[in-house]
């Protein structure tokens, strides 16, 4: 079977509102921004400021909720227990409400929800977290697309439940052969060389194979491509990716 042809346009997103000094310089090169909403970092003022800057560049905005764990920037995995899920449900509801309130005050229409860090990676696979998100999002963020790891159980379950889903690929993270992200605790989990990030981003955008951690070929279908806004090379990478996508005939555009 031949692979599906690449899309005519691709969403290019970055995680913002996280204190990155280059945020204002990143915005002209992306089409969607995931705004930290008070779990790993951020508050009402930072949300409003990031949303306002995004609007100036016609960049779509979405919520970037996380575990309430600023000490570890939301990147510390949590033990998933009934008590933890009950507390997390209330915490995520608060973050989503705070984000939507900030968006309303800036006159922005939120488009999506993308979990952050350890929550993103654990929810991609964990049945309890998947169930929580599939119940929470229609209630607290109706109509907003869920941004989820491409080919993950979360993305598949959300589609079956009728939620709008954007399957996401990462230009600056290495993959396992099982299509999960290599944990940041392992060597070379983050692609730091500009040429590596651009090559992987283009492969993902075109539906071409990329090299997984074990050397095998991995092919993913994606709707949106991410560059982490807090990375040291975020600005040159996102600019190079934007230019490379355009040169490859792909418009950089957020979904409607």
């Amino acid at each position: 079977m031949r692979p599906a042809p690449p899309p005519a346009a691709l969403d290019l997103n970055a995680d913002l509102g996280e204190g990155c000094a280059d945020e204002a310089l990143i915005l002209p090169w992306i089409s969607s921004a995931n705004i930290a909403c008070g779990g790993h970092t951020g508050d009402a003022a930072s949300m409003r400021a990031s949303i306002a800057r995004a609007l100036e560049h016609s960049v779509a905005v979405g919520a970037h909720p996380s575990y309430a764990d600023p000490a570890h920037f939301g990147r510390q995995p949590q033990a998933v227990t009934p008590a933890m899920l009950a507390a997390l449900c209330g915490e995520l509801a608060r973050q989503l409400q705070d984000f939507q309130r900030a968006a309303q005050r800036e006159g922005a229409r939120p488009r999506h929800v993308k979990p952050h860090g350890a929550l993103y990676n654990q929810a991609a696979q964990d049945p309890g977290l998947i169930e929580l998100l599939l119940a929470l999002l229609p209630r607290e963020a109706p109509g907003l697309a869920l941004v989820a790891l491409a080919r993950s159980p979360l993305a598949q379950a959300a589609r079956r439940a009728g939620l709008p889903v954007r399957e996401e690929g990462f230009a600056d993270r290495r993959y396992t052969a099982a299509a999960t992200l290599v944990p940041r605790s392992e060597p070379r989990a983050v692609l730091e060389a500009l040429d590596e990030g651009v090559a992987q981003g283009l492969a993902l955008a075109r539906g071409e194979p990329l090299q997984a951690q074990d050397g095998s070929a991995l092919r993913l279908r994606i709707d949106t491509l991410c560059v982490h806004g807090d990375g040291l090379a975020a600005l040159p990478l996102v600019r190079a990716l934007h230019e490379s996508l355009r040169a490859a005939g792909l418009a950089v555009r957020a979904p409607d």
Side-chain angles (χ1 to χ4, degrees):
M1 180 183 297
R2 292 183 178 180
L10 187 71
D11 184 39
L12 182 58
N13 79 76
D15 306 334
L16 300 181
E18 298 179 332
C20 173
D22 288 337
E23 177 168 316
L25 301 177
I26 288 172
L27 279 163
W29 303 102
I30 62 175
S31 47
S32 292
N34 319 305
I35 310 297
C37 38
H40 60 297
T41 191
D43 56 23
S46 67
M47 279 186 271
R48 291 190 63 178
S50 292
I51 292 168
R53 283 193 290 266
L55 288 177
E56 292 174 2
H57 295 279
S58 300
V59 170
V61 298
H64 198 37
S66 71
Y67 292 137
D69 183 24
H72 301 101
F73 204 66
R75 288 176 174 158
Q76 180 71 43
Q78 304 291 317
V80 180
T81 65
M84 175 269 202
L85 290 171
L88 180 63
C89 185
E91 173 63 27
L92 294 181
R94 179 191 66 78
Q95 291 183 43
L96 291 171
Q97 292 164 10
D98 288 349
F99 173 79
Q100 290 175 98
R101 190 177 302 115
Q104 182 178 36
R105 289 177 177 173
E106 294 301 322
R109 176 172 69 90
R111 306 284 190 88
H112 63 276
V113 176
K114 175 186 170 180
H116 165 80
L119 174 60
Y120 179 97
N121 290 309
Q122 288 187 272
Q125 310 289 332
D126 185 271
L129 290 170
I130 291 173
E131 183 178 356
L132 183 154
L133 289 175
L134 296 192
L136 178 73
L137 293 179
R139 183 175 71 246
E140 297 295 342
L144 302 192
L146 170 64
V147 177
L149 185 67
R151 203 196 289 176
S152 66
L154 173 59
Q156 296 166 11
R159 287 194 190 282
R160 288 195 298 269
L163 272 64
V165 179
R166 297 183 198 169
E167 297 201 40
E168 183 177 40
F170 290 83
D172 53 6
R173 291 294 305 277
R174 192 170 299 282
Y175 283 85
T176 71
T180 61
L181 299 180
V182 174
R184 286 178 178 267
S185 58
E186 296 187 19
R188 288 182 51 77
V190 177
L191 300 179
E192 296 181 346
L194 181 62
D195 58 345
E196 284 187 307
V198 171
Q200 180 159 298
L202 282 175
L204 286 163
R206 292 167 167 165
E208 297 172 351
L210 54 95
Q211 187 178 71
Q213 183 186 34
D214 66 356
S216 63
L218 175 68
R219 191 190 299 269
L220 297 171
R221 189 203 68 79
I222 67 167
D223 304 302
T224 184
L225 180 65
C226 177
V227 171
H228 286 90
D230 65 322
L232 294 177
L235 177 57
L237 177 56
V238 76
R239 183 169 55 214
L241 272 173
H242 182 111
E243 293 171 344
S244 297
L245 291 169
R246 295 290 298 274
L250 287 168
V252 176
R253 185 170 65 238
D256 293 331

